[in-house]
Amino acid sequence: MATTTKIALAGEGGQGVQSVAEIMVEAANDEGKEALYIPNFGVEQRGGVSVAYCQISDEKVGSPKFKFADLVIALSDRAVRRTKQYVNANTVFIYDSSIQDVESDLPTNAKKVLAIPALEVAKKELHPRVFNVIIMGAAIEATKVIKMDDAKKALEKRLGYKFQQDPQLRELNYKALEKGAELVKGLL
Amino acid sequence: MTKVPNMPKSWRQETKPHKFCPGCGHGLVLKALGEAIDELGIQDRVVFGCDIGCSLLAWDFFNVDTVQTHHGRTTPVLTGVKRARPDRICIAYMGDGGGYAIGSQHLVNAAARNEKLTVILVNNCNYGMTGGQMAPTTLPDMKTETSPYGRNVAETGYPTQGPEMVAAITREGAYAARGTVANVRQLKGFIKKALQNQIDGNGFSFVEALSGCPTNWSTNAKDTWAFIEETMTKYFKVGEIKAPAKKEE
Amino acid sequence: MAEKPIQGEKRVFMTGNEVVAWAALAAEADLMYGYPITPQNEVMHYWTRLAPKFGKKFLQTEDEISAGFTTCGGALAGKRCFTATAGPGNILMQESMAMAEMMRIPTVLVVQQRGGPSTGTVIYSQQEVTMTCFGGNGEGLRIVYSTGSHQELFDYVIKAFNSAWKYRFPTFVLGDGYQAKMRESLVIYDPALKGIKMEPTAPRLGLEGMPGVDRPPSHLRNTYNTEEELFEAVSELVAAYEKIAPEVVEYQEFFTDDAEVVIIAHGVVTRAAQAAVKTLRSQGIGAGHFRPVTLRPFAVDALKTIAKRAKKLLVVESAQGQLAKIVKDAIYGESVPLEGYYRPGQGITAEEIVELVKKGM
């Protein structure tokens, strides 16, 4: 049987969940892996809970939806509640430590539940805009589903035109990736 | 404790903050409408209908009976309500697509029949909720998702002049005006007159509101306002286009 | 002569809506008519950007009624035309598609199913099966392909144009919101590379020459005066449809020869069903999967054969029995027990199907 890594990312619309998912699966595809990603959202253009389902595998991926994820990352209180259903004994559940009043909603059946200060790091050390790239770094480190170098290449592909105008952005984004990985390293 | 901002009495507090995008004009139009409803004292008589598109986000906005319909069908649904209950004040709320594209036949026919309805149409030159496609009111050369190289007027015509069309096809007793979120007080005035026109049983009342969509225009605050106040007004005249003649005392 | 949109073949990674646009270009479609409705909008977004580079056209109509009828008009004028829609937009398409059925107009309509009825959700379902197969006020004389992957979306959009113009029945590619929005890899290609020749088109309106002098005028109608006339007209349509059905029918079978329980699913759910069967077989359970690729015409004979052998049929769909109705109609007379797993508007996973089969044993 092929190994398929299933990742569910969820947050409020505008937090960059879909962008992270798209870049990750693009990177996996470029690496020669099979990848499938679907977004899930309501009708509002902005706001509302935004969920991305990513599957990365050696073989063609089956059903676009999955019952339980290997990794869940939730970036808001609504996202925590919405993604609980994807958690089982094999799931690593990561959430941002800035989310308020969410302790009672956290899953109790996960393999591991981890709070990371991604938003805080973004605000204090980097820039609030790269919050989702930090999350991406964390996701990659937690699943080892793609190589960090391929993630950087995919970022370049997507944002290269912005990096050209302001090379500091490239540094910022790469740092965010690495910072995200750091936040998770050794804790799993 | 968070301070609750001042809201029109007819607004439903439990559903605020609302779901419209930051910088959206709908919030301002609905504020003008809410205040108009309050000032006319008709909250318990209003039936409110909203269309598909961003207007559907108003389905639980007011403490007023509301129905969210299909795309373009708010006018006929509210026509049905009004004819069944003429004592209700029926307001059909929609966007430029719901009124001038898929809903245009209903708008034209309701106007021609002089339905005692009030239609409020929010014009932001694109289909917002579906991601920024071209609308009947998209400006010439304006780039949208389905006019990526700019609206070609030779191929697709000029922006629809809604209130002018309503004025042309209606008889005495109709009211048609165009306001703008750049002047909410004036917009409220037009909406109040449109509602009063229905209360008085005169005929079809129509108010278009020029509005902004920074999400799909990809504009910052400054450019959004510039577009509404300076660019849109080149194609859409703000003011009253038709009003019932004042009755002789 | 403008160069071909796809030269040779290449592996790409894109959303289903983008695939549809590329496939239509590869199929040498001339015109797209459309109206915004989620989740198929991006078909238009990509078409409007790509088509002008190859001299192809687009019009965003005032609504789906118009999009369907303009597509009919373009096809009658002899051009490869297509449109795309979903949900409530599909409802509006039924009027024009009924006209296409009666008048044998080669239309191509791509449907990306969303939750229903009414506005429902913008996300996904398989709830437009009945409507796409049998909508309108006719007998469902349509060709409907139900795709389950981006590769199939590409292959079958091209095939849809050929089926439409060869057999002259309104042709549909039935996708869904998952396929529309998801990203996965596929190989896009120039059809000529695979030996696929695009079926030639022919106009029925606006032909050359003086009508009544150089040639008879083309008089097309869809109205009849007597019961007998209508019966004759419809009988002709039915006969033509039944004649081509064996050529058009497509289906797939997985481990059905010795299967005790046969899972029947279509579209994107086949992926979950195929994976489920693999898992079940590896656990020693005799499961199989029958997948109709064409919902119209339906693979009646193949399914009947399976129905005679199997101990149980399990219909799995993201609707409340719309596929099951077609199945039951096809196997009428067979005594095999049939169960349904109905999840309107919800995605179905392989794990669910595995659990279901095991529970039922």
Side-chain angles (χ1 to χ4, degrees), chain B residues 52 68 70-71 73 101-102 127 130 133-134 145-146 148-149, chain C residues 35-36 38 41 45 48-49 53 60 62-64 92 118-119:
Chain B
I52 293 298
Q68 172 246 310
H70 282 194
H71 192 27
R73 315 301 178 206
I102 192 167
Y127 279 66
T130 43
Q133 294 82 22
M134 192 176 95
E145 287 302 324
T146 47
Y149 305 111
Chain C
Y35 187 80
T38 311
N41 296 311
H45 298 182
T48 50
R49 281 159 178 75
K53 303 186 185 179
Q60 183 175 315
E62 61 274 25
D63 59 21
E64 289 89 347
L92 297 180
S118 184
T119 312

mmCIF file of all heavy atoms in Angstrom, chain B residues 52 68 70-71 73 101-102 127 130 133-134 145-146 148-149, chain C residues 35-36 38 41 45 48-49 53 60 62-64 92 118-119:
data_model
loop_
_atom_site.group_PDB
_atom_site.id
_atom_site.type_symbol
_atom_site.label_atom_id
_atom_site.label_comp_id
_atom_site.label_asym_id
_atom_site.label_seq_id
_atom_site.Cartn_x
_atom_site.Cartn_y
_atom_site.Cartn_z
ATOM 1 N N ILE B 52 -29.122 36.357 -4.628
ATOM 2 C CA ILE B 52 -27.893 35.573 -4.552
ATOM 3 C C ILE B 52 -26.735 36.518 -4.866
ATOM 4 O O ILE B 52 -26.886 37.436 -5.656
ATOM 5 C CB ILE B 52 -27.922 34.417 -5.567
ATOM 6 C CG1 ILE B 52 -28.997 33.403 -5.189
ATOM 7 C CG2 ILE B 52 -26.564 33.726 -5.647
ATOM 8 C CD1 ILE B 52 -28.796 32.747 -3.857
ATOM 9 N N GLN B 68 -34.355 34.851 1.583
ATOM 10 C CA GLN B 68 -33.277 34.841 0.593
ATOM 11 C C GLN B 68 -33.756 33.963 -0.556
ATOM 12 O O GLN B 68 -34.174 32.829 -0.344
ATOM 13 C CB GLN B 68 -32.000 34.293 1.220
ATOM 14 C CG GLN B 68 -30.868 34.070 0.221
ATOM 15 C CD GLN B 68 -30.517 32.605 0.076
ATOM 16 O OE1 GLN B 68 -30.305 31.909 1.059
ATOM 17 N NE2 GLN B 68 -30.457 32.128 -1.152
ATOM 18 N N HIS B 70 -33.646 32.932 -5.043
ATOM 19 C CA HIS B 70 -32.680 32.527 -6.058
ATOM 20 C C HIS B 70 -32.188 33.785 -6.771
ATOM 21 O O HIS B 70 -32.754 34.872 -6.648
ATOM 22 C CB HIS B 70 -33.325 31.576 -7.068
ATOM 23 C CG HIS B 70 -33.459 30.174 -6.564
ATOM 24 N ND1 HIS B 70 -33.749 29.117 -7.400
ATOM 25 C CD2 HIS B 70 -33.324 29.651 -5.328
ATOM 26 C CE1 HIS B 70 -33.798 27.999 -6.691
ATOM 27 N NE2 HIS B 70 -33.549 28.304 -5.438
ATOM 28 N N HIS B 71 -31.150 33.602 -7.573
ATOM 29 C CA HIS B 71 -30.494 34.706 -8.255
ATOM 30 C C HIS B 71 -31.443 35.393 -9.225
ATOM 31 O O HIS B 71 -31.954 34.759 -10.153
ATOM 32 C CB HIS B 71 -29.273 34.136 -8.987
ATOM 33 C CG HIS B 71 -28.335 35.174 -9.495
ATOM 34 N ND1 HIS B 71 -28.170 36.424 -8.950
ATOM 35 C CD2 HIS B 71 -27.481 35.120 -10.540
ATOM 36 C CE1 HIS B 71 -27.255 37.084 -9.619
ATOM 37 N NE2 HIS B 71 -26.820 36.319 -10.595
ATOM 38 N N ARG B 73 -34.354 36.468 -8.618
ATOM 39 C CA ARG B 73 -35.779 36.163 -8.379
ATOM 40 C C ARG B 73 -36.335 36.890 -7.161
ATOM 41 O O ARG B 73 -37.466 36.631 -6.735
ATOM 42 C CB ARG B 73 -35.998 34.658 -8.205
ATOM 43 C CG ARG B 73 -35.273 33.785 -9.218
ATOM 44 C CD ARG B 73 -35.651 34.052 -10.654
ATOM 45 N NE ARG B 73 -34.873 33.199 -11.551
ATOM 46 C CZ ARG B 73 -34.583 33.482 -12.804
ATOM 47 N NH1 ARG B 73 -34.995 34.607 -13.355
ATOM 48 N NH2 ARG B 73 -33.863 32.633 -13.532
ATOM 49 N N ALA B 101 -28.961 41.671 -14.862
ATOM 50 C CA ALA B 101 -28.634 40.532 -15.737
ATOM 51 C C ALA B 101 -29.751 39.510 -15.609
ATOM 52 O O ALA B 101 -30.800 39.637 -16.214
ATOM 53 C CB ALA B 101 -27.270 39.944 -15.387
ATOM 54 N N ILE B 102 -29.529 38.531 -14.731
ATOM 55 C CA ILE B 102 -30.505 37.449 -14.636
ATOM 56 C C ILE B 102 -31.866 37.938 -14.167
ATOM 57 O O ILE B 102 -32.897 37.356 -14.489
ATOM 58 C CB ILE B 102 -29.954 36.330 -13.722
ATOM 59 C CG1 ILE B 102 -30.795 35.070 -13.838
ATOM 60 C CG2 ILE B 102 -29.860 36.806 -12.281
ATOM 61 C CD1 ILE B 102 -30.115 33.850 -13.199
ATOM 62 N N TYR B 127 -19.451 41.029 -10.194
ATOM 63 C CA TYR B 127 -20.110 39.974 -9.435
ATOM 64 C C TYR B 127 -19.175 39.639 -8.284
ATOM 65 O O TYR B 127 -18.186 38.956 -8.448
ATOM 66 C CB TYR B 127 -20.310 38.723 -10.315
ATOM 67 C CG TYR B 127 -21.493 38.781 -11.237
ATOM 68 C CD1 TYR B 127 -21.547 39.700 -12.279
ATOM 69 C CD2 TYR B 127 -22.562 37.905 -11.083
ATOM 70 C CE1 TYR B 127 -22.639 39.742 -13.131
ATOM 71 C CE2 TYR B 127 -23.654 37.940 -11.937
ATOM 72 C CZ TYR B 127 -23.688 38.861 -12.956
ATOM 73 O OH TYR B 127 -24.769 38.905 -13.809
ATOM 74 N N THR B 130 -19.047 35.686 -6.366
ATOM 75 C CA THR B 130 -18.512 34.587 -7.173
ATOM 76 C C THR B 130 -17.076 34.847 -7.601
ATOM 77 O O THR B 130 -16.505 34.074 -8.350
ATOM 78 C CB THR B 130 -19.384 34.365 -8.419
ATOM 79 O OG1 THR B 130 -19.725 35.629 -8.969
ATOM 80 C CG2 THR B 130 -20.643 33.600 -8.063
ATOM 81 N N GLN B 133 -16.475 38.575 -11.479
ATOM 82 C CA GLN B 133 -16.709 38.523 -12.932
ATOM 83 C C GLN B 133 -17.340 39.832 -13.396
ATOM 84 O O GLN B 133 -17.810 40.649 -12.620
ATOM 85 C CB GLN B 133 -17.635 37.358 -13.295
ATOM 86 C CG GLN B 133 -17.060 35.977 -13.036
ATOM 87 C CD GLN B 133 -17.209 35.562 -11.596
ATOM 88 O OE1 GLN B 133 -18.062 36.076 -10.895
ATOM 89 N NE2 GLN B 133 -16.358 34.653 -11.152
ATOM 90 N N MET B 134 -17.398 39.976 -14.718
ATOM 91 C CA MET B 134 -18.005 41.162 -15.311
ATOM 92 C C MET B 134 -19.489 41.222 -14.985
ATOM 93 O O MET B 134 -20.153 40.200 -14.876
ATOM 94 C CB MET B 134 -17.820 41.119 -16.825
ATOM 95 C CG MET B 134 -18.155 42.414 -17.510
ATOM 96 S SD MET B 134 -17.811 42.326 -19.270
ATOM 97 C CE MET B 134 -19.398 41.883 -19.888
ATOM 98 N N GLU B 145 -12.710 39.296 -13.926
ATOM 99 C CA GLU B 145 -12.291 37.925 -14.180
ATOM 100 C C GLU B 145 -12.777 37.407 -15.522
ATOM 101 O O GLU B 145 -12.151 36.535 -16.109
ATOM 102 C CB GLU B 145 -12.782 37.000 -13.060
ATOM 103 C CG GLU B 145 -12.033 37.151 -11.742
ATOM 104 C CD GLU B 145 -10.535 36.899 -11.872
ATOM 105 O OE1 GLU B 145 -10.117 36.022 -12.660
ATOM 106 O OE2 GLU B 145 -9.772 37.601 -11.175
ATOM 107 N N THR B 146 -13.913 37.911 -16.024
ATOM 108 C CA THR B 146 -14.352 37.465 -17.348
ATOM 109 C C THR B 146 -14.184 38.547 -18.406
ATOM 110 O O THR B 146 -14.673 38.412 -19.532
ATOM 111 C CB THR B 146 -15.812 36.966 -17.332
ATOM 112 O OG1 THR B 146 -16.620 37.924 -16.630
ATOM 113 C CG2 THR B 146 -15.908 35.609 -16.649
ATOM 114 N N PRO B 148 -10.738 39.874 -18.770
ATOM 115 C CA PRO B 148 -9.377 40.057 -18.252
ATOM 116 C C PRO B 148 -8.570 41.084 -19.030
ATOM 117 O O PRO B 148 -7.586 41.606 -18.510
ATOM 118 C CB PRO B 148 -8.756 38.663 -18.364
ATOM 119 C CG PRO B 148 -9.594 37.934 -19.340
ATOM 120 C CD PRO B 148 -10.963 38.508 -19.280
ATOM 121 N N TYR B 149 -8.972 41.353 -20.270
ATOM 122 C CA TYR B 149 -8.250 42.353 -21.064
ATOM 123 C C TYR B 149 -8.998 43.677 -21.079
ATOM 124 O O TYR B 149 -8.680 44.571 -21.854
ATOM 125 C CB TYR B 149 -8.035 41.822 -22.495
ATOM 126 C CG TYR B 149 -7.330 40.480 -22.513
ATOM 127 C CD1 TYR B 149 -8.011 39.322 -22.906
ATOM 128 C CD2 TYR B 149 -6.005 40.353 -22.094
ATOM 129 C CE1 TYR B 149 -7.373 38.092 -22.894
ATOM 130 C CE2 TYR B 149 -5.373 39.131 -22.086
ATOM 131 C CZ TYR B 149 -6.068 37.991 -22.482
ATOM 132 O OH TYR B 149 -5.432 36.766 -22.473
ATOM 133 N N TYR C 35 -22.209 31.923 -17.627
ATOM 134 C CA TYR C 35 -22.706 32.858 -16.613
ATOM 135 C C TYR C 35 -22.090 32.443 -15.291
ATOM 136 O O TYR C 35 -21.940 31.243 -15.040
ATOM 137 C CB TYR C 35 -24.239 32.775 -16.543
ATOM 138 C CG TYR C 35 -24.853 33.832 -15.649
ATOM 139 C CD1 TYR C 35 -25.026 35.137 -16.108
ATOM 140 C CD2 TYR C 35 -25.242 33.525 -14.345
ATOM 141 C CE1 TYR C 35 -25.579 36.119 -15.286
ATOM 142 C CE2 TYR C 35 -25.793 34.505 -13.518
ATOM 143 C CZ TYR C 35 -25.960 35.799 -13.993
ATOM 144 O OH TYR C 35 -26.504 36.759 -13.179
ATOM 145 N N PRO C 36 -21.741 33.431 -14.449
ATOM 146 C CA PRO C 36 -21.071 33.062 -13.193
ATOM 147 C C PRO C 36 -21.959 32.242 -12.274
ATOM 148 O O PRO C 36 -23.106 32.600 -12.014
ATOM 149 C CB PRO C 36 -20.756 34.414 -12.538
ATOM 150 C CG PRO C 36 -20.787 35.411 -13.631
ATOM 151 C CD PRO C 36 -21.795 34.900 -14.613
ATOM 152 N N THR C 38 -20.738 29.534 -8.803
ATOM 153 C CA THR C 38 -19.740 28.701 -8.172
ATOM 154 C C THR C 38 -20.217 27.251 -8.251
ATOM 155 O O THR C 38 -21.412 27.002 -8.069
ATOM 156 C CB THR C 38 -19.563 29.155 -6.705
ATOM 157 O OG1 THR C 38 -19.403 30.576 -6.711
ATOM 158 C CG2 THR C 38 -18.359 28.518 -6.062
ATOM 159 N N ASN C 41 -16.869 28.889 -12.087
ATOM 160 C CA ASN C 41 -16.475 30.188 -12.643
ATOM 161 C C ASN C 41 -15.125 30.188 -13.338
ATOM 162 O O ASN C 41 -14.946 30.839 -14.360
ATOM 163 C CB ASN C 41 -16.443 31.256 -11.539
ATOM 164 C CG ASN C 41 -17.812 31.484 -10.947
ATOM 165 O OD1 ASN C 41 -18.780 31.665 -11.664
ATOM 166 N ND2 ASN C 41 -17.896 31.461 -9.628
ATOM 167 N N HIS C 45 -12.902 31.994 -16.395
ATOM 168 C CA HIS C 45 -11.722 32.833 -16.156
ATOM 169 C C HIS C 45 -10.572 32.388 -17.055
ATOM 170 O O HIS C 45 -9.881 33.205 -17.650
ATOM 171 C CB HIS C 45 -11.276 32.756 -14.695
ATOM 172 C CG HIS C 45 -12.299 33.239 -13.719
ATOM 173 N ND1 HIS C 45 -12.075 33.280 -12.373
ATOM 174 C CD2 HIS C 45 -13.557 33.704 -13.890
ATOM 175 C CE1 HIS C 45 -13.149 33.750 -11.744
ATOM 176 N NE2 HIS C 45 -14.070 33.998 -12.644
ATOM 177 N N THR C 48 -11.488 32.959 -20.942
ATOM 178 C CA THR C 48 -11.410 34.343 -21.427
ATOM 179 C C THR C 48 -9.964 34.798 -21.578
ATOM 180 O O THR C 48 -9.674 35.696 -22.369
ATOM 181 C CB THR C 48 -12.136 35.332 -20.484
ATOM 182 O OG1 THR C 48 -11.686 35.121 -19.137
ATOM 183 C CG2 THR C 48 -13.637 35.160 -20.548
ATOM 184 N N ARG C 49 -9.057 34.195 -20.804
ATOM 185 C CA ARG C 49 -7.658 34.588 -20.944
ATOM 186 C C ARG C 49 -6.982 33.869 -22.099
ATOM 187 O O ARG C 49 -6.187 34.454 -22.834
ATOM 188 C CB ARG C 49 -6.901 34.273 -19.635
ATOM 189 C CG ARG C 49 -7.151 35.312 -18.541
ATOM 190 C CD ARG C 49 -6.849 34.775 -17.152
ATOM 191 N NE ARG C 49 -7.049 35.779 -16.122
ATOM 192 C CZ ARG C 49 -8.241 36.182 -15.677
ATOM 193 N NH1 ARG C 49 -9.349 35.694 -16.190
ATOM 194 N NH2 ARG C 49 -8.332 37.110 -14.734
ATOM 195 N N LYS C 53 -6.170 34.180 -27.644
ATOM 196 C CA LYS C 53 -4.861 33.901 -28.244
ATOM 197 C C LYS C 53 -4.984 32.918 -29.400
ATOM 198 O O LYS C 53 -4.071 32.804 -30.216
ATOM 199 C CB LYS C 53 -3.909 33.316 -27.190
ATOM 200 C CG LYS C 53 -3.736 34.220 -25.983
ATOM 201 C CD LYS C 53 -2.693 33.708 -25.004
ATOM 202 C CE LYS C 53 -2.701 34.639 -23.783
ATOM 203 N NZ LYS C 53 -1.782 34.269 -22.759
ATOM 204 N N GLN C 60 -20.288 36.384 -21.958
ATOM 205 C CA GLN C 60 -20.994 36.169 -20.699
ATOM 206 C C GLN C 60 -22.413 36.658 -20.920
ATOM 207 O O GLN C 60 -22.637 37.824 -21.205
ATOM 208 C CB GLN C 60 -20.338 36.922 -19.542
ATOM 209 C CG GLN C 60 -21.046 36.640 -18.223
ATOM 210 C CD GLN C 60 -20.348 37.290 -17.032
ATOM 211 O OE1 GLN C 60 -19.132 37.229 -16.906
ATOM 212 N NE2 GLN C 60 -21.117 37.924 -16.163
ATOM 213 N N GLU C 62 -26.687 37.007 -20.044
ATOM 214 C CA GLU C 62 -27.392 37.612 -18.914
ATOM 215 C C GLU C 62 -27.814 36.589 -17.877
ATOM 216 O O GLU C 62 -28.103 36.954 -16.743
ATOM 217 C CB GLU C 62 -28.595 38.429 -19.409
ATOM 218 C CG GLU C 62 -29.651 37.629 -20.158
ATOM 219 C CD GLU C 62 -29.342 37.477 -21.647
ATOM 220 O OE1 GLU C 62 -28.141 37.556 -22.010
ATOM 221 O OE2 GLU C 62 -30.276 37.278 -22.431
ATOM 222 N N ASP C 63 -27.886 35.329 -18.267
ATOM 223 C CA ASP C 63 -28.204 34.261 -17.320
ATOM 224 C C ASP C 63 -27.981 32.917 -18.001
ATOM 225 O O ASP C 63 -27.541 32.871 -19.147
ATOM 226 C CB ASP C 63 -29.655 34.374 -16.797
ATOM 227 C CG ASP C 63 -30.716 34.319 -17.893
ATOM 228 O OD1 ASP C 63 -30.428 33.805 -19.001
ATOM 229 O OD2 ASP C 63 -31.832 34.791 -17.659
ATOM 230 N N GLU C 64 -28.274 31.828 -17.285
ATOM 231 C CA GLU C 64 -28.016 30.496 -17.830
ATOM 232 C C GLU C 64 -29.022 30.087 -18.893
ATOM 233 O O GLU C 64 -28.735 29.254 -19.741
ATOM 234 C CB GLU C 64 -28.016 29.442 -16.711
ATOM 235 C CG GLU C 64 -26.818 29.522 -15.781
ATOM 236 C CD GLU C 64 -27.048 30.464 -14.606
ATOM 237 O OE1 GLU C 64 -28.019 31.236 -14.645
ATOM 238 O OE2 GLU C 64 -26.254 30.419 -13.660
ATOM 239 N N LEU C 92 -31.733 26.061 -14.871
ATOM 240 C CA LEU C 92 -32.090 26.967 -15.965
ATOM 241 C C LEU C 92 -31.670 26.429 -17.323
ATOM 242 O O LEU C 92 -32.237 26.790 -18.348
ATOM 243 C CB LEU C 92 -31.464 28.339 -15.723
ATOM 244 C CG LEU C 92 -31.940 29.075 -14.467
ATOM 245 C CD1 LEU C 92 -31.243 30.429 -14.347
ATOM 246 C CD2 LEU C 92 -33.441 29.266 -14.469
ATOM 247 N N SER C 118 -32.060 23.825 -4.528
ATOM 248 C CA SER C 118 -32.001 25.288 -4.417
ATOM 249 C C SER C 118 -30.535 25.713 -4.323
ATOM 250 O O SER C 118 -29.648 25.035 -4.842
ATOM 251 C CB SER C 118 -32.843 25.737 -3.215
ATOM 252 O OG SER C 118 -32.884 27.139 -3.126
ATOM 253 N N THR C 119 -30.247 26.792 -3.632
ATOM 254 C CA THR C 119 -28.883 27.309 -3.623
ATOM 255 C C THR C 119 -27.921 26.349 -2.934
ATOM 256 O O THR C 119 -26.741 26.255 -3.292
ATOM 257 C CB THR C 119 -28.858 28.696 -2.965
ATOM 258 O OG1 THR C 119 -29.905 29.480 -3.526
ATOM 259 C CG2 THR C 119 -27.542 29.400 -3.186
#
